[in-house]
Amino acid sequence: MRTPELPPRLESKRFVLRDFTETDRASFVKYRMDSRYRALHGQDSSKKTRLSTNVQFDRFLAWQHDVPRRNYLIGIFDKSTGALVGCTGLRGDGLPIDTAVFSVELAPDHWPHYRIAVEASMMLVSYGFRVLDLAAIVGDTTSSHKRITKLARWFGAEITAEHTDAYWMETPDANTPLPAFDQNIHTINTPATNPPCKDLCQEA
């Protein structure tokens, strides 16, 4: 993974993807504290959620100063209003130098707006190949998550590994696992031609 001279700033007609700054903390914590987000991630305690979210945000800011930089977790901002609508990332720690793990999430108010995730994903995947010189981008989904699986395949990703896991939540009976589910590992390899977002995203 190459470290570019300038921080990432990607723009489309509707969105800007850029590094977080301290002034974005409140917006990030606010949507992570939303009851819908906490329910999705099994976070019953708002106090613990606030603490863990601030720790994560500190980590995102610290990554920006790493040399070489191996991790990017950047905000997705509405271009017209400047509002934070989610975040997306490429993380390379512990992986081969030309490989990164992809992630994307939207703030709960924007969950119905699937195309935001599509557009932001296209922008960052393109950046990963064009600017960071990645050869492979990987991510995992549950086999039942049809929308994300469809998105991954649209990018040209292939399922390169499958396994089943049982997960535990912080409950009174912490030894009781949730039902097991199948997890698919998707891999996008360096495209022979420009990725689908060639005309959508650009560096500012």
Side-chain angles (χ1 to χ4, degrees):
M1 180 185 291
R2 184 168 66 88
T3 301
E5 293 183 9
L6 299 175
R9 183 181 174 88
L10 312 176
E11 295 188 12
S12 69
K13 291 181 179 179
R14 298 195 301 161
F15 302 106
V16 174
L17 276 60
R18 61 163 175 81
D19 272 334
F20 282 115
T21 68
E22 185 60 44
T23 58
D24 303 315
R25 183 186 294 268
S27 297
F28 182 72
V29 172
K30 181 180 179 180
Y31 90 65
R32 286 287 186 94
M33 290 292 292
D34 188 291
S35 59
R36 293 166 294 177
Y37 185 95
R38 291 191 291 110
L40 177 67
H41 294 276
Q43 299 170 348
D44 294 331
S45 170
S46 59
K47 184 177 180 180
K48 287 184 178 179
T49 299
R50 184 179 297 277
L51 177 62
S52 63
T53 298
N54 275 290
V55 169
Q56 283 187 319
F57 195 83
D58 288 339
R59 185 180 303 126
F60 301 159
L61 296 183
W63 281 344
Q64 298 171 19
H65 303 290
D66 289 346
V67 180
R69 185 169 178 178
R70 295 282 287 141
N71 300 292
Y72 295 80
L73 202 300
I74 61 180
I76 306 168
F77 297 88
D78 184 287
K79 196 170 186 178
S80 61
T81 66
L84 176 66
V85 300
C87 60
T88 184
L90 290 168
R91 288 173 279 190
D93 269 355
L95 297 172
I97 194 66
D98 60 355
T99 303
V101 174
F102 171 80
S103 63
V104 62
E105 72 174 31
L106 298 181
D109 286 345
H110 299 281
W111 283 352
H113 308 142
Y114 175 65
R115 289 189 178 277
I116 298 177
V118 173
E119 192 166 327
S121 299
M122 290 165 65
M123 294 165 73
L124 190 60
V125 166
S126 176
Y127 180 81
F129 287 129
R130 291 187 299 104
V131 179
L132 303 182
D133 289 340
L134 294 175
I137 295 174
V138 300
D140 60 19
T141 67
T142 60
S143 57
S144 61
H145 204 320
K146 303 301 182 184
R147 248 181 200 184
I148 297 299
T149 299
K150 182 178 179 181
L151 174 62
R153 288 176 175 168
W154 187 83
F155 278 116
E158 297 180 355
I159 296 176
T160 54
E162 298 178 276
H163 59 87
T164 300
D165 277 321
Y167 282 78
W168 282 259
M169 294 175 65
E170 293 183 9
T171 63
D173 183 6
N175 293 318
T176 303
L178 294 173
F181 59 83
D182 293 328
Q183 191 173 35
N184 296 330
I185 307 300
H186 295 272
T187 301
I188 311 173
N189 293 309
T190 305
T193 57
N194 289 312
C197 54
K198 177 175 82 75
D199 298 322
L200 175 67
C201 52
Q202 62 184 29
E203 290 180 80

